[in-house]
Amino acid sequence: MTVRERIRQNISAAFYRHGLLCASYPVPIILFTSASILTCCYPLLKLPLPGTGPVEFTTGVRDYSTPSHESQGDLSERPDWYRGPPVAYIQQVLVKAAVSPWDNSLVPVDVFRSPLGRVFSVLEEIRNHVYTDRSLEALCLQVTDLLPGLRRMQAVLPEHGCLLVSPGNYWQNRRDLFDADPDLLKTVHQHEPKGLHTSATLKDLLFGVPGKQTGVNLYSKKRVVTYTITIALSSYDARFVASLRARLKQLHPSANCTLREDHMVHVHFKEEIGIAELIPLVTTYIILFAYIYFSTRKIDMVKSKWGLALAAVVTVLSSLLMSVGLCTLFGLTPTLNGGEIFPYLVVVIGLENVLVLTKSVVSTPVDLEVKLRIAQGLSNESWSIMKNMATELCIILIGYFTFVPAIQEFCLFAVVGLVSDFFLQMFFFTTVLSIDIRRMELADLNRRLPAEAGMPPPKPGPLRPRETPPPPRPSPHTITLQAPAFRNLRLPKRLRVVYFLARTRLAQRIIMVGTVIWIGILVYTDPAGLRTFLAAQVSEQSPLGEAGLPPHLGVAPVFPGGDPTSTLSGLPAPEPTPLPENQSQGHRAAHPEVAPVSSPQITWGPEDEELWRRLSFRHWPSLFSYYNITLAKRYISILPVIPVTLHLSPQEAIDTRHPQDTHHAPPPSIKTSDLQTDLTLYKVAALGLFAGVVLVLLLFCLYRVLCPRNYGQNGVPHGRRRRGDLPCDEYGYSPPISEISPLLLRGHSMDIECLASDGMLLASCCLVGHIRVWDAQTGDCLTVIPNNGLRRSSSSGCWEHRDGWDHISACEAENIFPIRRRTTPARPALFGDQPDLTPLIDTNFGLSPPSQALSSSGFDFGGLVEKAYQEHEPSPTLAFPPSPPASQQRRRSLGDQPVLPPELPPQNNGDWDSSVWAMELRGNLIATGRSSGKLELWDAVEGSLRCSNEDGVSGITALAFLNNRIVAARLNGSLDFFTVEITKPLGLLQYRGPPGRGSLPPSPCYSSEDVISCQLTRSVQCAHQKPITVLKAAAGRVVTGSQDHTVRVYRLEDSCCLFTLQGHSGGITAIYIDQTMVLASGGQDGTICVWDVLTGSRVSHVYGHRGDVTSLVCTTSCIISSGLDDLICIWDRSTGIKLYSIQQEVGCGASLGVISESLLVTGGQGCVSFWDLNYGDLLQTVYLGQSSEGQSVRQLLVLDNAAIVCDFGSELSLVYVPSVLEKLD
Amino acid sequence: MADNSLSSVDVSALSSGALMRRGPYISMITNRTMNLLIRAAMLFMVGVFLALVLNLLQVQRNVTLFPPDVLSSVFSSAWWVPPCCGTAAALIGLLYPCMDRRLGEPHKLKREWSNVMRCVAVFVGINHASAKVDFANNVQLSLTLAALSVGLWWTFDRSRSGFGLGVVIAILATLATQLLVYNGVFQYTSPDFLYIRSWLPCIFFAGVITVGNIGRQLALYEYKVNQEKTHQD
């Protein structure tokens, strides 16, 4: 174990140093990594590009010998695949046939009927050709059955014999069938597939030339029929082939045919990827992308999410490339299909480390330096990274020992990939991350700059520099939602789908991607076909397409030779190359002005040499695949083509006519056929244009329908909502209108500082020190406990600062929080839903003696106090509204006792100077903690001081009152536990009568007759090193949070410290604990931790806010936090995943309350807003008052009866939540 | 051709996989039975999809080039296989979270979609290996696949219940396949172990683990939804 620990420490230290290094020198490191990536990828240049296109290699015919299986090292120009015999030698006999001279008595069918008919004789010739003792039968490639799936081709393709295909196959190579066929075209076309086809069709296979060039159609302009007879030879006999060539040439001489005959081309075919094989591949890629998507989605809290995701993907990809490159460098040529194993490699290498790194770095304290953050984050995760790495290497090692070559190779790759991936993660990604974090930090700084500028001078008053005016804001009483695009709400499903579509423009993108893929597939699978198509189009369009005639010669018909005499001979056909001759021959032979029809010319050009190139490159593989012979990774040798020229006389053509042939329609004129092709083109173009326009319109409509009108504008219309308007979200949906009218509880003359409630009663304390007790049900004021020492304290030395205060207060109301917090340390609690003074405590304030704090507090509020006095003067004894539900006894107590109880001044002399910093209410006892450190217990109903305790000197910052115990947190970090003891004097009981209070049954009552004593049971002197900021008690536990970054959990009974929870890197600002022992804490670092109170372990740790977490509430399923960044975040409680966040207006208030599981209430500027927690919708905003607009709700209490109480300047507001809100969802 | 397509058609009987991007929307369903139905439907689709894809992978093993109608033959030959796989996937995917709840030991290991995706990818990879890689003999193939399957379990599951259930279902499924083959409903091209391929159990096991993973991940949503719902009431 110790060794392990030591290793662990070493690793972590090494990672720490490495992180420091990376963050310190980002640019050199990135350069270095890029250089190494490029170096490692350099060997990849030698690798052939992946693809399935065939590769060619040309050799001479004369000295050809079948290549041996052994590779000869010296023949460097030979490709590696050129080994061993080919699958087959392909000998093509290219037949060009024409009926000439052409005369008008011929019908269109004659163009091809008799030329096609001649194929049978040529075939016969070929089949019967014998050289010495060799016949074709012996040499040709013998094929067996067709594949079982091709029954319908059985009639057409040869079986059990030579693989010899020609157009004659359509008629089973039988002349009589051909002659009996009434419609040749139909026969030819009946095997054609319908619709789009990218691979070789049967027509291509049999004719052996691209479909356009066959000339087998009714509207052919050239009237030359071209086809090939394709013979597949299994072995090459040069003499036999030569004799065949000579024989055919002799029989059917092709004059001036200068086709080259000395080269044979070897075509090597790569492995085919058919659709069937593509589907699993595509599936794995989809899974891969899903994996990447789900992984990168988790990157959060960085400056540029996309940038980091890109960096992660780049890391993985380049590590793969590096591994391939390295493997090639060391002579391990990959034999595996890269595309297939790639997804698995990515999955093995994984994005996990990258994500873990990001998360770890991001969750380091924000206030640290970037370097340190990176280093810390790296070292935190070092152990797990190393462990994972070792595990993966182990697994791969095990895989290596399977001794299966493919798996071994995969493992080798994976190992190299893993190592290079680790390298890249450590150098590349870490550095990118550091840059990103630094950028974020800068952005943060910029954002905060105005705030920081106003912060430093701690002294308030005129000394404070006037701040830059706050940015212009919409009217202060609205809650601005962010623009819909940025608002991540939980909408109804249907809307979310629609929004998703709209946001991502899914339809558009899918269509775009689909088109691109389709085009890609077309180009990729059938480049030859496409090229021929394009070439054909071009040649048809351009006037110089056919023979390259220069247009200036003005020969309108390209081959105007209508003269029978010139064409009868078939000679002299135009030379393949010399154009002038061709043209001159045309001039000489023809009478262009009288040639109504052109006579076919048979020409041989260099393009005929390798006519097979025009075929689809799948031509040969598909031909062979019909016989279950694969050409994948093998090659065929294509012998030079044998040209055959056939000239038929018109008489011959007429003789071979089928009786039905003449029934065909007369041939349309060339003009119309020209027009027709043009028209088709135009039609296609018009259709395409139309489709495009329709598509655009459709998309536009979709866009208009799906997207709100102000899509993309930053929600400006919402910001300027008229006062009193109900909030209406961007899709025009507004909640049912039921105006909630808040009940205003007036009476306090000053801003309310503390607020406490136990469900039935409500106690509030204002700045002056008045404590008022209200009935939470009716809003009646029950008791007033005035602070009669106020005049003394506050009248001193505040007048001169009034001016300063005035405009400070003006701008402060509008300012964002940090300023307020830091400049006025003793101001009442600005946020927090409990009457604690959490945010008041500043570190430096804690060091100062209490008296100074006191004076500064007086300092601050002087102006207000003075103003308040002028208003307040006439009514020191307030005229209470008559309270009908108040019991008789209460009336009596009010009546009996004067507002200033006579016994009070002697009791607590000298204490009125101090202000109330904390207040709690239980039963009818009000516990107040004062700045002087004094704890007082007041009777809430009678307004009398029941007991006080002056054991502590340091001011009480927070109070918790649970059962009969009071816990007080003091400014000096100590924690005092008090016990409240009640002794009932019997005599008094008799005298006063039964002290039952019918109106307040459930709360533990302390009757006014009891003698209540409050004793300090235990004082934990150094509970925290720094002032305690938060104190919460529930479920028998007391939880304190302090400026010293820790949270402590005490047991209430014996005040014993159970846990000290460390995890925050800033002072604790908010704590939530409830009866179910769920403890959540938020700190100044913006993190929220969820703890298990039973074990003291941290359940989750999320980095939620930029700036302090100001308040925290939990429901059973989620945690709601608000921060100084005016964001309300809703987190999943079990997983710690952020569900969504609500951006509020600047300075909107940080008070939160949860009314029910699905109803959240937040305080804003002069209003409270109700939110639906499930969907994040703003349900309603209730405006509290008409007059005081600038006041923001700082404290918010949710009472048991679904009423909420919030302070609103000097007023309290009681808002009853109507039931309609709960039924909304 | 025909028997090729039949070869090991049932490989992915219990397999299932990925591609449910509809996660967030699931959480909108508050109705429990509705939720269950949706989960089952998704698992069913996943099972069918994976069955088809993996079947295709297996078909490729012995054929180098496909005539154009291989797809139709795959779809037509044993049409009942994908639905069977889908049903099995739905059952297993629902069974796993249910069992987790019963046993009271919720699955803790890295419950994220990315992890599930990874699991599915590895599963497809195992199938790929079984289909494409040439092994010296069948024992080696079976052993390798077994090791890979157990590795899959260790990487993505690590729960004893998951392992147990996986083994049980793999055995049952192999038996069922055995019976089917024995009765001549379909056969394998090259059976090496009593009419069937010996690596079948490993594939079944890996498939069960994968489907279980998906089912658990889906159930996470239901769990959350239920939580919300109970609190709303």
Side-chain angles (χ1 to χ4, degrees), chain A residues 713-1007:
Chain A
Q713 302 166 9
N714 259 340
V716 180
H718 304 296
R720 288 274 167 209
R721 204 165 50 218
R722 256 191 320 120
R723 174 198 181 84
D725 262 3
L726 273 177
C728 156
D729 43 10
E730 70 273 14
Y731 34 92
Y733 169 80
S734 80
I737 299 168
S738 70
E739 197 61 62
I740 304 173
S741 53
L743 189 61
L744 286 182
L745 311 182
R746 294 198 175 87
H748 280 292
S749 54
M750 299 281 291
D751 279 7
I752 289 163
E753 186 172 4
C754 302
L755 198 57
S757 167
D758 66 342
M760 306 305 289
L761 292 180
L762 184 63
S764 61
C765 173
C766 69
L767 280 177
V768 207
H770 284 290
I771 298 173
R772 278 172 180 264
V773 182
W774 316 80
D775 188 335
Q777 305 284 337
T778 59
D780 299 334
C781 183
L782 302 179
T783 322
V784 183
I785 306 170
N787 189 350
N788 55 353
L790 179 78
R791 219 162 290 199
R792 256 177 291 156
S793 71
S794 61
S795 55
S796 59
C798 57
W799 301 89
E800 55 270 31
H801 296 301
R802 189 172 53 187
D803 291 350
W805 171 250
D806 276 345
H807 53 241
I808 287 167
S809 67
C811 27
E812 264 186 351
E814 312 239 3
N815 234 321
I816 61 169
F817 276 56
I819 309 160
R820 277 198 274 192
R821 240 193 77 238
R822 302 209 174 137
T823 50
T824 63
R827 263 199 78 149
L830 297 176
F831 24 64
D833 50 352
Q834 293 291 318
D836 56 46
L837 294 186
T838 33
L840 300 189
I841 320 300
D842 207 300
T843 10
N844 51 10
F845 175 60
L847 298 172
S848 62
S851 59
Q852 188 189 332
L854 186 65
S855 75
S856 82
S857 81
F859 216 92
D860 270 354
F861 308 119
L864 277 186
V865 168
E866 176 261 335
K867 198 169 66 188
Y869 268 133
Q870 292 173 346
E871 300 167 3
H872 198 57
E873 207 65 55
S875 60
T877 55
L878 286 165
F880 300 128
S883 51
S887 67
Q888 190 59 39
Q889 203 169 6
R890 206 181 298 153
R891 275 183 190 283
R892 179 195 50 76
S893 75
L894 280 178
D896 281 358
Q897 288 187 326
V899 178
L900 302 179
E903 72 273 15
L904 275 183
Q907 263 182 7
N908 40 38
N909 46 351
D911 191 37
W912 293 112
D913 298 355
S914 57
S915 56
V916 175
W917 277 4
M919 186 170 69
E920 268 290 320
L921 176 65
R922 280 288 171 278
N924 51 353
L925 273 185
I926 301 172
T928 57
R930 290 185 174 269
S931 58
S932 61
K934 190 171 178 186
L935 177 75
E936 294 170 330
L937 285 178
W938 298 82
D939 189 311
V941 179
E942 294 176 5
S944 58
L945 182 68
R946 303 306 298 264
C947 118
S948 76
N949 187 309
E950 292 175 68
D951 288 342
V953 188
S954 190
I956 295 177
T957 57
L959 271 180
F961 196 165
L962 205 66
N963 303 335
N964 59 344
R965 280 170 194 276
I966 298 174
V967 186
R970 293 186 189 273
L971 205 54
N972 58 3
S974 64
L975 198 63
D976 288 350
F977 291 79
F978 296 94
T979 312
V980 179
E981 281 166 10
I982 305 156
T983 47
K984 294 179 184 289
L986 281 170
L988 279 178
L989 202 70
Q990 284 172 348
Y991 169 65
R992 286 284 187 177
R997 293 181 187 279
S999 58
L1000 308 168
S1003 54
C1005 280
Y1006 308 101
S1007 66

Side-chain angles (χ1 to χ4, degrees), chain B residues 48-125:
Chain B
V48 168
F49 176 73
L50 270 194
L52 285 175
V53 166
L54 298 180
N55 191 8
L56 217 53
L57 256 180
Q58 295 291 335
V59 172
Q60 283 176 28
R61 180 170 174 74
N62 299 320
V63 188
T64 47
L65 261 174
F66 292 97
D69 50 354
V70 67
L71 280 183
S72 56
S73 73
V74 163
F75 285 114
S76 65
S77 62
W79 59 267
W80 48 269
V81 171
C84 279
C85 300
T87 317
L91 283 180
I92 292 167
L94 294 180
L95 190 62
Y96 258 80
C98 173
M99 194 182 63
D100 279 348
R101 210 173 303 136
R102 282 286 153 77
L103 290 181
E105 40 185 32
H107 186 233
K108 288 251 169 58
L109 194 75
K110 290 182 262 176
R111 308 194 61 173
E112 299 160 339
W113 273 115
S114 62
N115 220 31
V116 173
M117 285 299 141
R118 219 178 169 191
C119 179
V120 175
V122 171
F123 173 61
V124 176

Side-chain angles (χ1 to χ4, degrees), chain A residues 333-364:
Chain A
T333 40
T335 55
L336 294 173
N337 187 343
E340 272 179 32
I341 62 166
F342 177 76
Y344 305 122
L345 269 178
V346 172
V347 166
V348 164
I349 290 176
L351 290 165
E352 258 70 25
N353 273 353
V354 168
L355 302 176
V356 163
L357 271 184
T358 315
K359 208 172 173 188
S360 160
V361 168
V362 158
S363 59
T364 50

Side-chain angles (χ1 to χ4, degrees), chain A residues 174-250:
Chain A
R174 282 163 62 189
R175 177 84 201 207
D176 50 337
L177 287 182
F178 178 77
D179 289 335
D181 191 351
D183 192 349
L184 298 182
L185 281 180
K186 194 179 160 201
T187 314
V188 170
H189 286 291
Q190 73 185 1
H191 293 289
E192 293 302 291
K194 309 273 186 298
L196 179 85
H197 55 273
T198 59
S199 64
T201 63
L202 192 64
K203 187 180 171 190
D204 288 343
L205 286 183
L206 295 189
F207 277 87
V209 288
K212 283 242 169 195
Q213 298 201 342
T214 55
V216 184
N217 60 48
L218 294 174
Y219 313 112
S220 161
K221 277 186 287 177
K222 287 171 72 180
R223 302 203 179 95
V224 176
V225 175
T226 314
Y227 53 88
T228 61
I229 298 166
T230 306
I231 311 156
L233 303 170
S234 63
S235 61
Y236 180 65
D237 186 338
R239 285 164 305 170
F240 176 81
V241 173
S243 75
L244 180 67
R245 175 184 300 271
R247 170 81 181 149
L248 286 177
K249 278 190 161 181
Q250 182 199 345

Side-chain angles (χ1 to χ4, degrees), chain B residues 62 140 144 192 230:
Chain B
N62 299 320
Q140 198 184 30
T144 311
D192 55 37
T230 47

